[in-house]
Amino acid sequence: MRAIYKKELKSYFSSMMGYIFIFFILLVTGIYFTAYNINSAYPKLDYTLNAVLFMFLVAVPVLTMKILADERRLKTDQLLLTSPVNVWDIVLGKFFALVTIYAIPVVVICLYPLIMSQFGTVSMFEAYTVIIGFFLLGCADIAIGVYISSVTESQVIAAVITFGVLFVSFVMAGISQFFSTAAVTSLICYMVLVVILALIIQNMFASKTIAVAVGAAGEIILLVVYAVKSTAFESGIQKFLSIFNLAGHFDNFASGILDLSGALYFISIIGVCMMLTVQSILKRRWN
Amino acid sequence: MIEVKNLVKRYGNHTAVDGLNFTIEEGRIYGFLGPNGAGKSTTMNMITGYIASTSGEVLINGCNILDDAEKAKKYIGYLPEQPPLYFDMTVREYLQFVVELKKVPKKERETMIEEVMDRVKIKEMENRLIKNLSKGYKQRVGLAQAIMGYPEIIILDEPTVGLDPKQIIEIRELIKELGKNHTVILSSHILSEVSAVCDYVLIIAHGKLVASDTPENLSRKAFEDNSLELTVKGEQEDIVSAVESLEYVDSMTVKESKEEGCVDLSVKTQNLEDIREELFYKMAELHHPILRMQYIRATLEDIFLELTEQPEDVDRSGLEELNTESGEEEDHESDL
C-alpha cells in the first residue's frame, strides 16, 4: 500500500493537478472566510464552510478523474494487478493519497479559528467540529470520485459522471421536497424501487424466477405493512433520499455538534465506495 | 513450475483460449508461438492473474493464481505487450516504485535497482523522464520492471516487437542470459526468434495448443516432409513407370509441365533416402533428359504455417495477413 500511496502523491505533485486542487480550495474558502469572518466579524465557521461546499462539485472530479481510469487507459494496471499486492491495498493506497492532498488545505483552514481568536472570543470546540465535518464530507466525495474513476477508461467520462453524482447529492434536499410527505406517495415510490431492485437482480443473476420472487415478495410486504400501519410510511421517501444527501449530514457538524452518527455515515459512504471500487476492478477480470 | 490445466477463456461467443493444457518446467526458456489473435496474450494474462479464466486453472508452484494470488504473483515477473510505464516518472523513480511494489526488502532495494539497470543497460537514462525515451529504451525499462525482485518465472509478451535489429539481438542475448537462472516464457509470432532463443516451443493456433516440442525435434519433423521436384523430358508413362521401379520411392504426384513434351514430378521417398543419383542414371539409360532436379525440404516456417492455418471455414483475409506478415519478418531477418 505504501508504494502506491507514495507514487500517487508524487505524481499529483509532479504534475500541476495537486497544486491546482489545493489552490482552488484555499482560494474559495479564503474569499468566503474574508467576507464572512474577517469583514463581517462573524465568530463561527459554519456559514463559511457551508457556503463553500459547491466547490467540491468541481474540485473533486478534477482530482479523482484520473486516479484509476488512467491506469486502465495506459495499461499500467497490468503492472499493479500482476504484482504481489492486494487489490484493497491498491485502492486504499490511492484513496489515502488523495485524502492526504485534501488534508493540506484543511490544515490551513485549521488556522482560521486561531486567526479569528486574535480579534475576539471564538469557541474552539465548535470551530474544529465544523472543520472535522468538512474534512469527512470531502473524503466521502473523494471516495465517490474514486469509485466512478474505476468504472471507466476515460478521464472525461469519469469527471462528468462524478460531477453529476455530486451535483444530484448536492441538490438532494431540494429534490426530496418535490415529493409529498403523505404515506401513499412513499408507498408508490417504494414499490417502484422494488421493481428496480428486481430488474437489477435479473440483470446480475440472469434469473427471471429469483427476480420475480423478490419483486413479488417485496411488493406484498410493502402492501401488508401499509395496510397494518400506514403512518410508518409518512415522509418515508424523504428519509430514503436523505441517504444520498451528503451535505445534509454536514449540518449537525456545522452547528457545532460533534455528530457521531454523522461521522459514521461518512465513514460508511467511504467504506461502501472502496468496496465497490475493489469489486469493479476484480469484476473486470472476468469480462 | 507452472501447471496450466484445461484453460478456457470466452469473450461472449468468441472463444479466445480453448482448453489449453501444459506444464512449464523450471530453468528453461519457453516460446509461445502463434499468429496474431491466436490467444498468446490472453493466455499470458491468465497465467499472470491479470484476467480470470472462464474455466480451468493455473498453478504457480502449486499456488492457484486467483485464490492464492499474492503468493503466486511473487514468483512471476511480467512484461505485457505494452510496457506498463508511467510516463511522468524518471526511470529511477519508476524502478523505485516497482521495487517497493514487488516487496523487495528495504536494504536490498538500491543495490537491486543498480544491478537491474546494469543488466538491461539503462543506467545512462536513469534520470530521464520515461515519456522522452525511445521505444527500445522503453522496452528495456519494461524488461527491468519484469526482472525486478528476481522472480523465478519471467513472462515476456512479444519482447522484441518494434525494436531495431541491433536492439533485437541485444534483447535476445539478455533473454538467453536470464534463462540461465530463471524460467522464461516469451511469446512471439516470429518463428526464427523462438527457434533462436527457446529450449522449448509451444505453438498455439485458434486458442489451442497444436504442437509442443523442442525446436530441434520440430525441425526434424519438418525435414521428414521432403520431396524431390523433377522436370523430365519424354513420355509420361515411361517416366512414371521408371521412377516407380526405383527403390525407396514412397509416393509421387505427376503434373503436365509448362515446357512442351515434359513432365513435372514430385517424388517422396521412404526414410529420407536420397535417390538422386539412381534417378539420374535410370533416366540417362532411358534417354529421358532431366531438365530440373531440386530437393525441397520443408522448413520450420512451413510447419508453422501448416499447423496454424485455419482448419475449416477458411478466413482468407486472416491467412493473407499471416502470410504477408511472415514475409515481412523474413525481410526483417535479412536486415540482420
Side-chain angles (χ1 to χ4, degrees), chain B residues 256-304:
Chain B
E256 193 74 16
S257 178
K258 279 176 198 161
E259 286 186 69
E260 217 172 305
C262 295
V263 184
D264 274 356
L265 294 168
S266 170
V267 184
K268 290 197 176 184
T269 57
Q270 294 158 357
N271 308 325
L272 302 178
E273 245 1 278
D274 189 354
I275 57 162
R276 282 176 294 180
E277 280 184 34
E278 286 84 351
L279 200 70
F280 170 79
Y281 288 122
K282 186 85 185 174
M283 290 300 152
E285 203 179 289
L286 297 169
H287 299 287
H288 288 313
I290 297 174
L291 303 183
R292 181 180 69 102
M293 176 149 67
Q294 191 179 13
Y295 198 46
I296 305 243
R297 289 183 157 184
T299 58
L300 271 181
E301 214 83 43
D302 297 327
I303 288 265
F304 174 54

Side-chain angles (χ1 to χ4, degrees), chain A residues 2-4 6-7 10 14 71 74-86 89 285-287, chain B residues 9 11 45 48-53 66 70 73-74 80 82 84-86 89 97 100-101 103 145:
Chain A
R2 273 194 51 188
I4 292 175
K6 280 189 341 206
K7 183 223 120 196
K10 226 190 249 170
S14 65
E71 298 270 4
L74 296 171
K75 302 239 163 114
T76 43
D77 60 340
Q78 280 191 311
L79 168 63
L80 301 182
L81 295 176
T82 59
S83 294
V85 284
N86 198 306
D89 287 342
R285 301 203 299 194
W286 299 90
N287 290 344
Chain B
K9 181 72 187 179
Y11 295 106
N45 280 335
T48 53
Y50 177 60
I51 56 174
S53 54
L66 292 178
E70 261 175 85
K73 284 171 185 172
K74 262 196 167 165
Q82 188 184 340
L85 305 173
Y86 295 101
M89 287 180 163
F97 166 61
E100 207 178 326
L101 198 65
K103 302 198 169 145
Q145 168 272 122

Side-chain angles (χ1 to χ4, degrees), chain A residues 56-57 60-61 63-65 67-68 95 98-99 136-152 158-170 243-247 265-266 268-277:
Chain A
F56 286 132
L57 299 186
V60 168
L63 184 74
T64 59
M65 62 183 184
I67 190 92
L68 283 156
F95 174 69
L98 295 178
V99 166
L136 286 173
L137 173 61
C139 291
D141 282 350
I142 288 173
I144 292 171
V146 170
Y147 167 60
I148 292 168
S149 181
S150 78
V151 296
T152 169
V160 171
I161 298 178
T162 308
F163 173 80
V165 169
L166 293 183
F167 178 76
V168 169
S169 161
F170 190 69
I243 296 173
F244 303 102
N245 182 3
L246 270 80
Y265 167 80
F266 286 128
S268 314
I269 292 279
I270 294 169
V272 168
C273 286
M274 293 297 102
M275 203 182 73
L276 287 173
T277 310

Side-chain angles (χ1 to χ4, degrees), chain B residues 187-200:
Chain B
S187 78
S188 179
H189 57 266
I190 309 166
L191 185 99
S192 59
E193 173 164 290
V194 169
S195 53
V197 180
C198 300
D199 303 322
Y200 205 85

Side-chain angles (χ1 to χ4, degrees), chain B residues 142-173:
Chain B
L143 201 59
Q145 168 272 122
I147 62 179
M148 195 60 85
Y150 300 129
E152 275 176 38
I153 302 157
I154 296 171
I155 300 182
L156 311 169
D157 197 352
E158 310 222 339
T160 58
V161 144
L163 301 185
D164 68 42
K166 186 166 168 278
Q167 290 168 329
I168 290 180
I169 293 177
E170 280 175 4
I171 296 273
R172 278 184 196 169
E173 289 304 316

Side-chain angles (χ1 to χ4, degrees), chain B residues 25-66:
Chain B
E25 305 285 346
E26 262 161 63
R28 295 164 93 178
I29 303 179
Y30 284 81
F32 262 26
L33 191 62
N36 290 349
K40 290 170 296 184
S41 293
T42 311
T43 309
M44 288 188 150
N45 280 335
M46 281 192 281
I47 294 176
T48 53
Y50 177 60
I51 56 174
S53 54
T54 310
S55 66
E57 60 175 357
V58 176
L59 299 176
I60 315 285
N61 288 336
C63 307
N64 188 303
I65 191 69
L66 292 178

